Amino acid sequence: MAFQEFGQTSERRKADQKQKKKFAIAVVAISVLIILIAAGAFAIVNLDDDDANKSHGKPISTSSKSVQTMCSSTDYKEVCEKRLSKAISNTSNPEPQDIIKAAIMVVIDEVSKAFHKTDKLKSDDPQVNGAIEDCVELFDHAKDELKSTLEHVDGTDLQNLPDKAHDIQNWLSAVVSYQQTCVDGFPEGKLKTKMQKTMTMARQLTSNALAIIHEASSILTMLNIPGFSRRRLLQEGEAVAPPLAADGLPDWIPGDQRRALRAKALKMPKPNVVVAKDGSGNYKTINRALKKMPKNYEGRYVIYIKEGTYKETVMVTKKMVNVSMYGDGSRKTIITGNKNYVDGVRTFKTATFAAIGEGFMAQGIGFRNTAGAAKHQAVALRVQSDRSIFLNCRMEGYQDTLYTQTHRQFYRSCVVAGTIDFIFGDGAVVLQNCILVVRKPLDNQQNIVTAQGRTERHETTGIVIQNCRIIPDRKMIPLKNTIKSYLGRPWKEYSRTIIMESKIGDLIHPDGWLAWDGDFALKTLYYAEYNNKGPGSNTTARVKWPGYKKITMERAMKYTVENFIQGGSWIRATGTPVHLGLFSMRGVI
């Protein structure tokens, strides 16, 4: 809904209402902050007789009052109060920052305990041993995320917390995902149930830390007079990128859809190394080039991959930071593999290409998993890299093509093709100006574009599809009325997916969305649509779930590149074409 659709009187009234609401929120925020400050200034709060009896005759200290206040926004209040009170028991007159730090410390302690319990598991089942191996790897990632979180909390003055909050929430959300991925790797049965219980306390404490960081940051941001935000919600529209002479797209995509995909190619710097199958470069394989990458390399390390099909399983490890790879086009430079679940490989390990190191960039490359629909889960690309960018790339598979595992990710002018849950994971992801191609599944199967995996409501993750096109593959076109296709289904309890400003083809079922299993997650998920077009965008017959929403422009703003993944600085710094706000608000700040 555009601004011009409102009359002046209506706009003024709404503005007044918003101002009153903000003032009321500010009053509450100030009151909460006063409580927190007061908690550090007084020694003892008196109790009535019943409270005194409950505490064995001992009065509740101000530290307990501070903890109660800090825990008020969490989902697991009892756990929060108990663990934080114990953590700060030796701290006299704790400041709010001490409690925030304690919230992180208890997560570190509990996550370590939970993951270490996997070391004691013994089994003759290769699948179980593989899951244990994955848990060890995931714990290593979790430790790094928690270390970064603690360093930022410990080294940041309270009033500067809002500037660090997005990073902290991003890392903590990843920790939640690692815990769940560890559990998901185990086969169904008693052992998996046991692992789920083992991770419960760690998950709850991580969720509590996320809630505390969010609440403290929100209060401090609202108190930052004269505004309630430290950044603009809207950005100027970008210039339309010129068309490319050779776009590398399949010839069956119509002209208007080709134009939607085209994006200005980045002018890449001189590569550090060249990979070429024909021997004309420095190395013949991508893995060899990565293995020879200097340790602790400063700056961006650029790898040019010449035209060719590279049959490799590639991993850009967490130590390989700021790696850029570019090819000769997504249908010319292709990385391919066929690992899959049916052949005994955990979904986590089926990826042909895994990007883990922070700041990874790819341009003009195709990522494929050729296992086929009959092999079920078979990932073409798994992305764990924070602030990662994919431009003019292709991801091709069937089930589970693109695994957006964790962290902030941006996809621009890419093609993603698949059948079941072919964009899935628990990262904070925006796909912009992309084409999502729904392929022909196996008999008696149905297609689902997304399966987002948020397990806690305080995680800052979700899948946002903006200004994209959802279309059938050529083989699906004659079957689109007999094979049902949906926008998404809830892989986890708080699954979150937003489709906005996109063109949805007539292959999408009028329901729009599909349940996972009975009424699982239907009340807790968040699925939203805004300002879409095309025959599949009609929301009249959409599902009536409590978690499904048709959102307003104001709400949609929260899921733009600028606001959802804080892309204004890190994406633009690379020169990548990006639209930071809503396309319907082009040119408006």
Side-chain angles (χ1 to χ4, degrees):
M1 189 175 292
F3 278 134
Q4 59 264 30
E5 294 179 10
F6 294 100
Q8 291 182 353
T9 303
S10 176
E11 278 290 274
R12 190 178 300 113
R13 185 181 298 114
K14 289 196 172 187
D16 290 342
Q17 291 173 346
K18 288 180 181 178
Q19 194 63 31
K20 289 177 181 179
K21 184 178 180 181
K22 286 181 178 180
F23 180 75
I25 293 172
V27 170
V28 173
I30 291 170
S31 300
V32 172
L33 198 63
I34 288 172
I35 291 173
L36 292 174
I37 294 171
F42 296 100
I44 295 176
V45 173
N46 292 325
L47 295 173
D48 59 27
D49 292 339
D50 289 338
D51 287 336
N53 290 333
K54 288 177 184 178
S55 59
H56 306 288
K58 296 179 181 179
I60 293 180
S61 66
T62 53
S63 62
S64 296
K65 195 69 175 179
S66 298
V67 166
Q68 289 174 5
T69 303
M70 280 291 203
C71 291
S72 62
S73 63
T74 66
D75 290 344
Y76 310 101
K77 294 182 179 62
E78 185 177 346
V79 169
C80 182
E81 292 177 9
K82 182 178 179 179
R83 294 299 291 269
L84 290 192
S85 295
K86 183 178 179 180
I88 64 168
S89 59
N90 294 325
T91 304
S92 59
N93 297 328
E95 298 291 334
Q97 190 165 347
D98 296 324
I99 301 175
I100 293 173
K101 182 180 177 181
I104 306 302
M105 291 296 293
V106 297
V107 172
I108 293 173
D109 180 58
E110 193 61 42
V111 167
S112 298
K113 289 179 181 177
F115 274 104
H116 280 314
K117 286 183 180 180
T118 61
D119 294 341
K120 299 178 181 179
L121 297 176
K122 304 293 181 182
S123 176
D124 295 327
D125 186 341
Q127 191 172 358
V128 171
N129 290 330
I132 294 171
E133 180 184 310
D134 290 347
C135 288
V136 172
E137 179 182 337
L138 290 160
F139 175 52
D140 192 44
H141 293 310
K143 284 191 296 185
D144 288 344
E145 310 287 357
L146 290 169
K147 180 183 177 183
S148 296
T149 300
L150 185 60
E151 288 175 350
H152 273 62
V153 169
D154 202 26
T156 302
D157 291 335
L158 189 62
Q159 63 268 26
N160 295 324
L161 182 64
D163 294 328
K164 303 290 186 181
H166 288 301
D167 286 339
I168 293 170
Q169 290 171 300
N170 168 55
W171 295 323
L172 289 174
S173 294
V175 172
V176 175
S177 180
Y178 298 144
Q179 295 165 20
Q180 189 59 49
T181 303
C182 171
V183 174
D184 288 343
F186 287 87
E188 295 297 330
K190 291 182 179 179
L191 194 55
K192 183 171 185 174
T193 301
K194 181 179 179 180
M195 283 305 305
Q196 186 76 60
K197 290 180 179 179
T198 298
M199 289 291 177
T200 297
M201 181 61 71
R203 193 191 75 244
Q204 290 179 355
L205 290 172
T206 311
S207 172
N208 286 343
L210 276 162
I212 288 170
I213 293 294
H214 173 76
E215 191 69 14
S217 175
S218 297
I219 290 172
L220 291 166
T221 298
M222 286 189 293
L223 293 175
N224 183 35
I225 306 300
F228 287 85
S229 176
R230 297 193 174 195
R231 65 184 188 278
R232 293 182 299 176
L233 289 178
L234 284 170
Q235 296 289 335
E236 293 178 320
E238 62 184 326
V240 177
L244 299 178
D247 54 21
L249 301 177
D251 55 13
W252 50 267
I253 293 182
D256 62 335
Q257 294 172 358
R258 301 179 80 86
R259 286 191 293 274
L261 269 175
R262 291 169 179 155
K264 184 178 180 181
L266 298 181
K267 185 178 181 180
M268 302 300 290
K270 182 180 178 180
N272 295 84
V273 294
V274 177
V275 177
K277 287 182 66 66
D278 60 9
S280 62
N282 303 98
Y283 305 104
K284 290 185 177 182
T285 68
I286 301 165
N287 278 311
R288 187 67 176 169
L290 287 171
K291 187 176 181 180
K292 292 295 183 178
M293 178 179 171
K295 294 182 179 179
N296 303 317
Y297 184 83
E298 294 186 6
R300 185 158 286 279
Y301 195 78
V302 181
I303 301 174
Y304 166 40
I305 308 171
K306 286 190 174 183
E307 179 177 352
T309 299
Y310 298 82
K311 296 180 179 180
E312 303 182 53
T313 299
V314 181
M315 179 181 291
V316 180
T317 70
K318 66 179 179 180
K319 293 182 179 179
M320 300 173 182
V321 178
N322 292 326
V323 172
S324 284
M325 292 184 180
Y326 70 98
D328 287 324
S330 64
R331 293 178 68 85
K332 294 180 179 180
T333 298
I334 299 164
I335 306 169
T336 184
N338 62 2
K339 290 184 178 182
N340 62 85
Y341 184 79
V342 170
D343 289 346
V345 183
R346 287 95 59 207
T347 304
F348 178 60
K349 291 294 186 180
T350 63
T352 299
F353 191 104
I356 298 173
E358 184 176 355
F360 178 79
M361 290 183 62
Q363 177 178 324
I365 298 175
F367 304 91
R368 289 181 181 172
N369 191 310
T370 60
K375 295 294 187 176
H376 299 294
Q377 296 97 321
V379 177
L381 173 65
R382 174 168 68 89
V383 183
Q384 189 179 325
S385 170
D386 191 23
R387 298 187 177 95
S388 53
I389 297 173
F390 294 83
L391 176 65
N392 293 334
C393 290
R394 295 178 62 85
M395 300 83 180
E396 295 178 279
Y398 285 86
Q399 183 171 348
D400 293 359
T401 303
L402 174 58
Y403 187 1
T404 58
Q405 187 182 358
T406 57
H407 297 307
R408 291 163 289 195
Q409 307 173 23
F410 180 64
Y411 299 79
R412 171 78 181 204
S413 301
C414 293
V415 175
V416 188
T419 54
I420 299 171
D421 307 335
F422 66 90
I423 302 173
F424 77 110
D426 193 23
V429 182
V430 177
L431 294 97
Q432 191 176 89
N433 286 34
C434 294
I435 289 183
L436 312 182
V437 183
V438 180
R439 307 178 82 171
K440 179 182 178 296
L442 296 175
D443 293 341
N444 301 317
Q445 285 187 335
Q446 48 202 353
N447 292 312
I448 307 101
V449 177
T450 67
Q452 204 279 329
R454 194 170 63 137
T455 58
E456 293 291 334
R457 74 182 180 95
H458 295 292
E459 286 184 77
T460 55
T461 60
I463 295 172
V464 177
I465 296 172
Q466 183 188 25
N467 201 43
C468 295
R469 293 172 183 266
I470 302 174
I471 64 173
D473 178 87
R474 184 169 52 191
K475 292 181 180 179
M476 256 295 291
I477 292 175
L479 302 170
K480 61 186 179 181
N481 293 325
T482 56
I483 296 176
K484 295 179 180 180
S485 298
Y486 299 88
L487 296 173
R489 62 173 178 166
W491 181 29
K492 302 298 179 184
E493 191 172 3
Y494 289 93
S495 181
R496 177 162 62 183
T497 300
I498 297 89
I499 316 286
M500 60 188 194
E501 302 183 307
S502 295
K503 187 173 182 179
I504 304 174
D506 60 0
L507 74 161
I508 296 299
H509 191 277
D511 287 351
W513 307 84
L514 180 68
W516 184 275
D517 183 16
D519 61 357
F520 169 76
L522 303 188
K523 293 181 180 179
T524 51
L525 61 77
Y526 184 85
Y527 286 166
E529 296 182 57
Y530 169 74
N531 200 24
N532 296 307
K533 58 185 178 180
S537 67
N538 189 334
T539 59
T540 304
R542 286 293 194 253
V543 292
K544 306 303 180 184
W545 307 337
Y548 170 72
K549 312 290 181 184
K550 287 174 280 189
I551 57 176
T552 63
M553 180 185 66
E554 183 179 26
R555 186 67 183 176
M557 287 292 300
K558 297 178 183 295
Y559 301 105
T560 59
V561 172
E562 168 69 2
N563 294 325
F564 191 56
I565 57 174
Q566 303 82 53
S569 56
W570 61 272
I571 297 176
R572 277 191 165 174
T574 67
T576 301
V578 59
H579 193 93
L580 298 178
L582 293 172
F583 283 81
S584 57
M585 296 294 293
R586 187 184 295 273
V588 180
I589 300 179

